Amino acid sequence: MIFVVTSNDNKWEEMRHLLRAYGLRVGRIKTALPEVQSQSLEEVVTFSAKAALNEIGQAEMLIEDSGLFIDRLNGFPGPFSSYVYKTLGCEGVLKLMEGERERTAKFVSVIAYVRKDGEVRTFHGECRGRISDRPRGTKGFGFDPIFVPEEGEGQTFGELDVAIKNEYSHRSRSIANFLRWYGTTSGS
Ligand code: ITT
């Protein structure tokens, strides 16, 4: 059994679906791990993974760190997305983007797989898109209502069912990279 360690219910729902579809047995540990302040999601998630090892110590664990990187804002809010969502929200980000024509952005997800023997590996996934002019949709979480993925038909993630979001989201891609590696090492 692999344990996903996250305080975020939506993340867990998405990860659970993707991992179970692959046939893995997964459980959840609902807790917020300490995060280090860094510009690199890899660094943030590796720090949290080591904390999970010390504090929780299950045999196999997955920790995910993600963020929205807006090109015009030099990648802001990036690793600070959780804090910026709590303080400014979607409306605040739209305000920062008011009048901007260059609205390209990407969601990035980095997953850390950590084993009791201390091995930590990270896997990266991205989804490119743009920031919408106004919030649309009530599905999903966080910045979903203002993010229009490139692959879609112009709807925001907030307007798409989670099954569709899972087809090309940053999180599904980091998980796919993890599964590719995991499948070759564990024989599962
Ligand atoms: P854990 O660290 O406990 O897993 P968290 O919500 O704090 O949960 P992060 O530190 O990784 O997670 O913060 C990522 C933030 O980025 C998240 O709170 C959202 O605001 C935003 N975000 C990440 N992925 C997203 C997605 O798929 N859809 C919408 N917003 C997303």
Side-chain angles (χ1 to χ4, degrees), residues 4-11 14-15 28 31-33 35 41 44 48 63-68 77-86 107-110 140-145 147 157 165 169-171:
V4 175
V5 186
T6 178
S7 65
N8 184 317
D9 293 344
N10 296 80
K11 251 192 205 185
E14 291 181 15
M15 291 177 73
R28 178 195 187 181
T31 186
L33 290 165
E35 287 186 7
L41 290 182
V44 176
S48 298
I63 294 103
E64 196 251 19
D65 204 63
S66 42
L68 175 67
F80 314 109
S81 292
S82 175
Y83 180 68
V84 169
Y85 180 74
K86 281 183 210 140
F107 266 131
V108 180
S109 159
V110 180
F141 71 103
F143 295 112
D144 279 341
F147 185 81
F157 269 159
K165 177 180 175 185
S169 78
H170 48 314
R171 192 160 293 109

Side-chain angles (χ1 to χ4, degrees), residues 68 76-77 81-96 135 142-143 145-146:
L68 175 67
F76 182 83
S81 292
S82 175
Y83 180 68
V84 169
Y85 180 74
K86 281 183 210 140
T87 50
L88 303 179
C90 289
E91 293 292 348
V93 169
L94 286 179
K95 219 171 206 147
L96 291 175
F143 295 112
I146 61 167

Side-chain angles (χ1 to χ4, degrees), residues 49-69:
K50 288 183 178 154
L53 201 58
N54 291 331
E55 293 173 20
I56 303 167
Q58 290 286 346
E60 294 182 291
M61 293 180 286
L62 288 173
I63 294 103
E64 196 251 19
D65 204 63
S66 42
L68 175 67
F69 294 70

